[in-house]
PDB file of all heavy atoms in Angstrom:
ATOM      1  N   GLN A 378     -25.217  84.122  12.983  1.00  0.00           N
ATOM      2  CA  GLN A 378     -24.397  85.245  12.581  1.00  0.00           C
ATOM      3  C   GLN A 378     -22.937  85.024  13.148  1.00  0.00           C
ATOM      4  O   GLN A 378     -22.001  85.388  12.578  1.00  0.00           O
ATOM      5  CB  GLN A 378     -25.005  86.576  13.027  1.00  0.00           C
ATOM      6  CG  GLN A 378     -26.162  87.040  12.167  1.00  0.00           C
ATOM      7  CD  GLN A 378     -26.903  88.206  12.640  1.00  0.00           C
ATOM      8  OE1 GLN A 378     -27.092  88.368  13.874  1.00  0.00           O
ATOM      9  NE2 GLN A 378     -27.230  89.156  11.766  1.00  0.00           N
ATOM     10  N   ASP A 379     -23.016  84.628  14.449  1.00  0.00           N
ATOM     11  CA  ASP A 379     -21.659  84.409  15.068  1.00  0.00           C
ATOM     12  C   ASP A 379     -20.834  83.412  14.332  1.00  0.00           C
ATOM     13  O   ASP A 379     -19.584  83.424  14.320  1.00  0.00           O
ATOM     14  CB  ASP A 379     -21.830  83.945  16.549  1.00  0.00           C
ATOM     15  CG  ASP A 379     -22.377  85.066  17.491  1.00  0.00           C
ATOM     16  OD1 ASP A 379     -22.392  86.211  16.987  1.00  0.00           O
ATOM     17  OD2 ASP A 379     -22.768  84.721  18.587  1.00  0.00           O
ATOM     18  N   ALA A 380     -21.453  82.503  13.602  1.00  0.00           N
ATOM     19  CA  ALA A 380     -20.767  81.509  12.799  1.00  0.00           C
ATOM     20  C   ALA A 380     -20.423  82.020  11.469  1.00  0.00           C
ATOM     21  O   ALA A 380     -19.802  81.344  10.624  1.00  0.00           O
ATOM     22  CB  ALA A 380     -21.655  80.236  12.743  1.00  0.00           C
ATOM     23  N   GLY A 381     -20.820  83.230  11.176  1.00  0.00           N
ATOM     24  CA  GLY A 381     -20.421  83.864   9.857  1.00  0.00           C
ATOM     25  C   GLY A 381     -21.515  83.901   8.838  1.00  0.00           C
ATOM     26  O   GLY A 381     -21.236  84.357   7.706  1.00  0.00           O
ATOM     27  N   VAL A 382     -22.686  83.423   9.132  1.00  0.00           N
ATOM     28  CA  VAL A 382     -23.807  83.518   8.137  1.00  0.00           C
ATOM     29  C   VAL A 382     -24.213  84.924   7.995  1.00  0.00           C
ATOM     30  O   VAL A 382     -24.437  85.618   8.991  1.00  0.00           O
ATOM     31  CB  VAL A 382     -24.948  82.615   8.628  1.00  0.00           C
ATOM     32  CG1 VAL A 382     -26.126  82.638   7.615  1.00  0.00           C
ATOM     33  CG2 VAL A 382     -24.451  81.128   8.780  1.00  0.00           C
ATOM     34  N   ASP A 383     -24.480  85.360   6.789  1.00  0.00           N
ATOM     35  CA  ASP A 383     -24.860  86.788   6.617  1.00  0.00           C
ATOM     36  C   ASP A 383     -26.265  86.972   7.081  1.00  0.00           C
ATOM     37  O   ASP A 383     -27.058  86.081   7.287  1.00  0.00           O
ATOM     38  CB  ASP A 383     -24.717  87.144   5.066  1.00  0.00           C
ATOM     39  CG  ASP A 383     -25.688  86.280   4.216  1.00  0.00           C
ATOM     40  OD1 ASP A 383     -25.349  85.160   3.882  1.00  0.00           O
ATOM     41  OD2 ASP A 383     -26.842  86.835   3.982  1.00  0.00           O
ATOM     42  N   ASP A 384     -26.568  88.286   7.290  1.00  0.00           N
ATOM     43  CA  ASP A 384     -27.872  88.716   7.950  1.00  0.00           C
ATOM     44  C   ASP A 384     -29.060  88.130   7.140  1.00  0.00           C
ATOM     45  O   ASP A 384     -30.033  87.647   7.820  1.00  0.00           O
ATOM     46  CB  ASP A 384     -27.852  90.232   7.931  1.00  0.00           C
ATOM     47  CG  ASP A 384     -29.101  90.727   8.579  1.00  0.00           C
ATOM     48  OD1 ASP A 384     -29.238  90.517   9.800  1.00  0.00           O
ATOM     49  OD2 ASP A 384     -30.037  91.312   7.909  1.00  0.00           O
ATOM     50  N   ALA A 385     -29.045  88.163   5.867  1.00  0.00           N
ATOM     51  CA  ALA A 385     -30.260  87.771   5.105  1.00  0.00           C
ATOM     52  C   ALA A 385     -30.562  86.275   5.343  1.00  0.00           C
ATOM     53  O   ALA A 385     -31.685  85.874   5.528  1.00  0.00           O
ATOM     54  CB  ALA A 385     -30.005  88.036   3.612  1.00  0.00           C
ATOM     55  N   LEU A 386     -29.495  85.482   5.203  1.00  0.00           N
ATOM     56  CA  LEU A 386     -29.710  83.978   5.364  1.00  0.00           C
ATOM     57  C   LEU A 386     -29.992  83.655   6.839  1.00  0.00           C
ATOM     58  O   LEU A 386     -30.825  82.780   7.148  1.00  0.00           O
ATOM     59  CB  LEU A 386     -28.430  83.251   4.816  1.00  0.00           C
ATOM     60  CG  LEU A 386     -28.664  81.823   4.519  1.00  0.00           C
ATOM     61  CD1 LEU A 386     -29.749  81.600   3.436  1.00  0.00           C
ATOM     62  CD2 LEU A 386     -27.360  81.169   4.003  1.00  0.00           C
ATOM     63  N   ALA A 387     -29.284  84.319   7.726  1.00  0.00           N
ATOM     64  CA  ALA A 387     -29.532  84.072   9.147  1.00  0.00           C
ATOM     65  C   ALA A 387     -30.985  84.375   9.472  1.00  0.00           C
ATOM     66  O   ALA A 387     -31.649  83.681  10.216  1.00  0.00           O
ATOM     67  CB  ALA A 387     -28.594  84.918   9.959  1.00  0.00           C
ATOM     68  N   SER A 388     -31.476  85.478   8.904  1.00  0.00           N
ATOM     69  CA  SER A 388     -32.876  85.818   9.234  1.00  0.00           C
ATOM     70  C   SER A 388     -33.879  84.841   8.676  1.00  0.00           C
ATOM     71  O   SER A 388     -34.890  84.498   9.287  1.00  0.00           O
ATOM     72  CB  SER A 388     -33.217  87.202   8.528  1.00  0.00           C
ATOM     73  OG  SER A 388     -32.456  88.240   9.123  1.00  0.00           O
ATOM     74  N   HIS A 389     -33.549  84.300   7.517  1.00  0.00           N
ATOM     75  CA  HIS A 389     -34.388  83.244   6.889  1.00  0.00           C
ATOM     76  C   HIS A 389     -34.562  82.060   7.848  1.00  0.00           C
ATOM     77  O   HIS A 389     -35.680  81.618   8.222  1.00  0.00           O
ATOM     78  CB  HIS A 389     -33.781  82.776   5.599  1.00  0.00           C
ATOM     79  CG  HIS A 389     -34.425  81.622   4.957  1.00  0.00           C
ATOM     80  ND1 HIS A 389     -35.676  81.676   4.316  1.00  0.00           N
ATOM     81  CD2 HIS A 389     -34.048  80.267   4.853  1.00  0.00           C
ATOM     82  CE1 HIS A 389     -36.021  80.486   3.838  1.00  0.00           C
ATOM     83  NE2 HIS A 389     -35.088  79.628   4.142  1.00  0.00           N
ATOM     84  N   TYR A 390     -33.387  81.545   8.359  1.00  0.00           N
ATOM     85  CA  TYR A 390     -33.548  80.401   9.231  1.00  0.00           C
ATOM     86  C   TYR A 390     -34.068  80.754  10.600  1.00  0.00           C
ATOM     87  O   TYR A 390     -34.725  79.966  11.318  1.00  0.00           O
ATOM     88  CB  TYR A 390     -32.220  79.621   9.286  1.00  0.00           C
ATOM     89  CG  TYR A 390     -32.010  78.847   8.007  1.00  0.00           C
ATOM     90  CD1 TYR A 390     -30.978  79.239   7.102  1.00  0.00           C
ATOM     91  CD2 TYR A 390     -32.866  77.830   7.640  1.00  0.00           C
ATOM     92  CE1 TYR A 390     -30.852  78.569   5.892  1.00  0.00           C
ATOM     93  CE2 TYR A 390     -32.672  77.185   6.425  1.00  0.00           C
ATOM     94  CZ  TYR A 390     -31.781  77.536   5.590  1.00  0.00           C
ATOM     95  OH  TYR A 390     -31.635  76.952   4.350  1.00  0.00           O
ATOM     96  N   ALA A 391     -33.689  81.956  11.077  1.00  0.00           N
ATOM     97  CA  ALA A 391     -34.257  82.359  12.377  1.00  0.00           C
ATOM     98  C   ALA A 391     -35.751  82.543  12.300  1.00  0.00           C
ATOM     99  O   ALA A 391     -36.436  82.446  13.284  1.00  0.00           O
ATOM    100  CB  ALA A 391     -33.592  83.741  12.765  1.00  0.00           C
ATOM    101  N   HIS A 392     -36.245  82.728  11.059  1.00  0.00           N
ATOM    102  CA  HIS A 392     -37.723  82.768  10.890  1.00  0.00           C
ATOM    103  C   HIS A 392     -38.307  81.321  10.789  1.00  0.00           C
ATOM    104  O   HIS A 392     -39.253  81.013  11.565  1.00  0.00           O
ATOM    105  CB  HIS A 392     -38.045  83.493   9.570  1.00  0.00           C
ATOM    106  CG  HIS A 392     -39.443  83.406   9.193  1.00  0.00           C
ATOM    107  ND1 HIS A 392     -40.458  83.869  10.021  1.00  0.00           N
ATOM    108  CD2 HIS A 392     -40.067  82.926   8.052  1.00  0.00           C
ATOM    109  CE1 HIS A 392     -41.628  83.570   9.322  1.00  0.00           C
ATOM    110  NE2 HIS A 392     -41.395  83.049   8.213  1.00  0.00           N
ATOM    111  N   LEU A 393     -37.673  80.523  10.000  1.00  0.00           N
ATOM    112  CA  LEU A 393     -38.229  79.082   9.929  1.00  0.00           C
ATOM    113  C   LEU A 393     -38.186  78.402  11.310  1.00  0.00           C
ATOM    114  O   LEU A 393     -39.059  77.617  11.616  1.00  0.00           O
ATOM    115  CB  LEU A 393     -37.440  78.254   8.913  1.00  0.00           C
ATOM    116  CG  LEU A 393     -37.417  78.653   7.424  1.00  0.00           C
ATOM    117  CD1 LEU A 393     -36.797  77.515   6.581  1.00  0.00           C
ATOM    118  CD2 LEU A 393     -38.739  78.991   6.933  1.00  0.00           C
ATOM    119  N   PHE A 394     -37.189  78.733  12.079  1.00  0.00           N
ATOM    120  CA  PHE A 394     -36.964  78.053  13.330  1.00  0.00           C
ATOM    121  C   PHE A 394     -37.817  78.674  14.505  1.00  0.00           C
ATOM    122  O   PHE A 394     -37.497  78.320  15.635  1.00  0.00           O
ATOM    123  CB  PHE A 394     -35.457  77.933  13.621  1.00  0.00           C
ATOM    124  CG  PHE A 394     -34.827  76.731  12.979  1.00  0.00           C
ATOM    125  CD1 PHE A 394     -34.784  76.647  11.616  1.00  0.00           C
ATOM    126  CD2 PHE A 394     -34.286  75.725  13.768  1.00  0.00           C
ATOM    127  CE1 PHE A 394     -34.236  75.577  10.993  1.00  0.00           C
ATOM    128  CE2 PHE A 394     -33.737  74.584  13.114  1.00  0.00           C
ATOM    129  CZ  PHE A 394     -33.696  74.526  11.762  1.00  0.00           C
ATOM    130  N   ILE A 395     -38.768  79.459  14.215  1.00  0.00           N
ATOM    131  CA  ILE A 395     -39.720  79.839  15.276  1.00  0.00           C
ATOM    132  C   ILE A 395     -40.644  78.767  15.538  1.00  0.00           C
ATOM    133  O   ILE A 395     -41.355  78.692  16.552  1.00  0.00           O
ATOM    134  CB  ILE A 395     -40.457  81.165  14.980  1.00  0.00           C
ATOM    135  CG1 ILE A 395     -41.259  80.977  13.686  1.00  0.00           C
ATOM    136  CG2 ILE A 395     -39.613  82.382  14.888  1.00  0.00           C
ATOM    137  CD1 ILE A 395     -42.256  82.086  13.259  1.00  0.00           C
ATOM    138  N   ARG A 396     -40.709  77.791  14.605  1.00  0.00           N
ATOM    139  CA  ARG A 396     -41.719  76.681  14.731  1.00  0.00           C
ATOM    140  C   ARG A 396     -41.152  75.583  15.656  1.00  0.00           C
ATOM    141  O   ARG A 396     -39.923  75.365  15.682  1.00  0.00           O
ATOM    142  CB  ARG A 396     -42.029  76.069  13.307  1.00  0.00           C
ATOM    143  CG  ARG A 396     -42.363  77.114  12.306  1.00  0.00           C
ATOM    144  CD  ARG A 396     -43.727  77.650  12.421  1.00  0.00           C
ATOM    145  NE  ARG A 396     -43.956  78.729  11.505  1.00  0.00           N
ATOM    146  CZ  ARG A 396     -45.189  79.323  11.315  1.00  0.00           C
ATOM    147  NH1 ARG A 396     -46.233  79.013  12.010  1.00  0.00           N
ATOM    148  NH2 ARG A 396     -45.317  80.265  10.433  1.00  0.00           N
ATOM    149  N   ASP A 397     -42.049  74.807  16.228  1.00  0.00           N
ATOM    150  CA  ASP A 397     -41.636  73.634  17.022  1.00  0.00           C
ATOM    151  C   ASP A 397     -41.541  72.472  16.056  1.00  0.00           C
ATOM    152  O   ASP A 397     -42.301  72.370  15.103  1.00  0.00           O
ATOM    153  CB  ASP A 397     -42.758  73.323  18.019  1.00  0.00           C
ATOM    154  CG  ASP A 397     -42.638  74.195  19.302  1.00  0.00           C
ATOM    155  OD1 ASP A 397     -41.611  74.855  19.514  1.00  0.00           O
ATOM    156  OD2 ASP A 397     -43.582  74.249  20.033  1.00  0.00           O
ATOM    157  N   PRO A 398     -40.725  71.503  16.334  1.00  0.00           N
ATOM    158  CA  PRO A 398     -40.823  70.253  15.594  1.00  0.00           C
ATOM    159  C   PRO A 398     -42.160  69.562  16.015  1.00  0.00           C
ATOM    160  O   PRO A 398     -42.378  69.460  17.140  1.00  0.00           O
ATOM    161  CB  PRO A 398     -39.568  69.488  16.088  1.00  0.00           C
ATOM    162  CG  PRO A 398     -39.242  70.021  17.410  1.00  0.00           C
ATOM    163  CD  PRO A 398     -39.733  71.452  17.450  1.00  0.00           C
ATOM    164  N   ILE A 399     -42.900  69.102  15.004  1.00  0.00           N
ATOM    165  CA  ILE A 399     -44.213  68.526  15.391  1.00  0.00           C
ATOM    166  C   ILE A 399     -44.028  67.070  15.738  1.00  0.00           C
ATOM    167  O   ILE A 399     -44.650  66.523  16.592  1.00  0.00           O
ATOM    168  CB  ILE A 399     -45.253  68.666  14.308  1.00  0.00           C
ATOM    169  CG1 ILE A 399     -45.150  70.127  13.680  1.00  0.00           C
ATOM    170  CG2 ILE A 399     -46.671  68.478  14.845  1.00  0.00           C
ATOM    171  CD1 ILE A 399     -46.149  70.317  12.539  1.00  0.00           C
TER     172      ILE A 399
END
Side-chain angles (χ1 to χ4, degrees):
Q378 285 175 319
D379 288 350
V382 177
D383 63 277
D384 181 66
L386 198 57
S388 298
H389 173 73
Y390 287 111
H392 170 59
L393 298 192
F394 275 64
I395 58 172
R396 310 285 175 174
D397 282 344
I399 318 176

